[in-house]
Amino acid sequence: MVLVKVNGYTIEPGADLIEANLTGANLSGANLEGADLRIANLTKADLTGAFLCEADLYGADLTGVDLTGANLARADLTGADLTGASLAGANLTAVDLIGADLGGADLTGTDLIGADLTRANLRRADLTGADLTSADLIGADLTGANLTSAELRRVSFAGVTLIGADLAGANLRRADLAGMDLSGADLTRADLSGANLTSAKLRGVSFVGVTLVGVDLTGANLSGTDLSGADLTRADLSGADLVEAMLVRTNLYCSNLFRTSLHGAYLDGANLTGANLAESFADSQTIWPAWFDPLTAGVIIED
């Protein structure tokens, strides 16, 4: 077997590369399965298509590294610096990224199934089309991140920051987003069927055309939110704040709007068939469907 040496280091499976200086190294297609790269410097290295399964990259400096199409399944990247790194199409299944810095990283189409991203920094990271099924995002910062069409089923979102995140077309079925701050996030065409959004902060969120069938929005702040064309069939909106919300042609069939605030809300063309509006609150600025009688439905008009 021909030994490959880069910067004086032997590149092979299981290699001992602790604190190695591989800055800018060409390691494209290299086989470093199970290698020990703790605290190694791989700044701007080329690791496209590299095989790094079960490699130990604890605390490694991977700033600006190119890992496009690389296989890092079950690798340990705890505390690693991946700022601005390219990981498009990489395999990060069951990877440990606890406390890792992925700010501005390219993770488009990346496989992150079962990955541990606890307390990771993903600010402005591009996760378009990424698969994060069953990933752990507890305490992660996804401010301004792009999660367009991402797969987010069974993800742990406790303590996650998603302010200004782009979640258009994302799959968030049965996601637990209770109490989360999603202010300014884009959820256009996302699927939130069965999700828990109890007491979530949703001011200024775009819900245009979103699927929210059976979602729990109890006590949620939806003031000024655009829910036009959204499907809220059998959703629980009891006690929610819908002040000045846009609900044009929104499907609220059999939804629960008990004690909901609808002051200034725009419900033109909304489907309120079977909806419970008992003790909900509205005013003269609230616009109702032409056929709907709010007083008969038990709405309290406040002026």
Side-chain angles (χ1 to χ4, degrees):
M1 181 179 70
V2 178
L3 293 179
V4 178
K5 283 190 174 287
V6 176
N7 292 3
Y9 300 101
T10 300
I11 306 302
E12 62 181 350
D16 182 353
L17 296 165
I18 298 175
E19 298 186 358
N21 184 0
L22 290 161
T23 302
N26 182 2
L27 295 163
S28 179
N31 186 350
L32 286 162
E33 180 180 10
D36 192 341
L37 287 146
R38 284 175 291 169
I39 322 297
N41 187 349
L42 289 150
T43 303
K44 296 185 178 178
D46 182 356
L47 282 156
T48 54
F51 195 72
L52 289 151
C53 289
E54 300 182 349
D56 190 346
L57 289 144
Y58 178 91
D61 188 347
L62 293 151
T63 307
V65 72
D66 191 347
L67 283 157
T68 303
N71 190 342
L72 291 125
R74 300 178 302 282
D76 186 353
L77 287 149
T78 302
D81 189 348
L82 288 142
T83 306
S86 177
L87 292 138
N91 181 1
L92 293 163
T93 304
V95 163
D96 193 340
L97 284 156
I98 296 175
D101 191 344
L102 290 146
D106 181 0
L107 291 150
T108 55
T110 300
D111 186 346
L112 285 154
I113 296 174
D116 191 345
L117 289 148
T118 301
R119 299 187 305 281
N121 175 21
L122 289 151
R123 293 175 68 92
R124 297 180 300 282
D126 190 349
L127 288 144
T128 303
D131 191 344
L132 289 122
T133 302
S134 299
D136 192 342
L137 286 163
I138 295 174
D141 188 350
L142 284 148
T143 301
N146 185 355
L147 289 150
T148 304
S149 300
E151 186 68 53
L152 295 159
R153 291 173 300 152
R154 300 189 298 278
V155 170
S156 300
F157 281 106
V160 173
T161 303
L162 281 162
I163 297 173
D166 188 346
L167 289 151
N171 185 354
L172 287 151
R173 293 174 67 89
R174 295 182 295 280
D176 187 356
L177 298 160
M180 286 189 56
D181 190 347
L182 286 151
S183 302
D186 186 355
L187 285 158
T188 304
R189 301 183 309 282
D191 187 351
L192 284 144
S193 299
N196 181 6
L197 287 155
T198 304
S199 301
K201 297 175 183 176
L202 301 162
R203 186 175 182 81
V205 171
S206 175
F207 281 106
V208 177
V210 173
T211 301
L212 290 156
V213 176
V215 71
D216 189 348
L217 285 156
T218 305
N221 182 359
L222 290 153
S223 59
T225 298
D226 192 347
L227 286 150
S228 299
D231 189 353
L232 284 148
T233 299
R234 296 187 178 84
D236 190 349
L237 290 148
S238 54
D241 184 350
L242 284 159
V243 173
E244 297 182 356
M246 290 293 291
L247 295 152
V248 180
R249 295 185 299 281
T250 300
N251 187 3
L252 290 157
Y253 175 78
C254 288
S255 59
N256 183 13
L257 292 155
F258 176 73
R259 296 190 67 81
T260 298
S261 298
L262 291 160
H263 301 86
Y266 199 90
L267 293 114
D268 185 40
N271 180 7
L272 291 166
T273 304
N276 175 22
L277 286 111
E279 297 183 36
S280 60
F281 304 94
D283 58 18
S284 60
Q285 302 303 308
T286 305
I287 305 299
W288 302 99
W291 60 271
F292 185 74
D293 182 357
L295 294 178
T296 301
V299 177
I300 300 170
I301 307 297
E302 300 179 321
D303 281 315

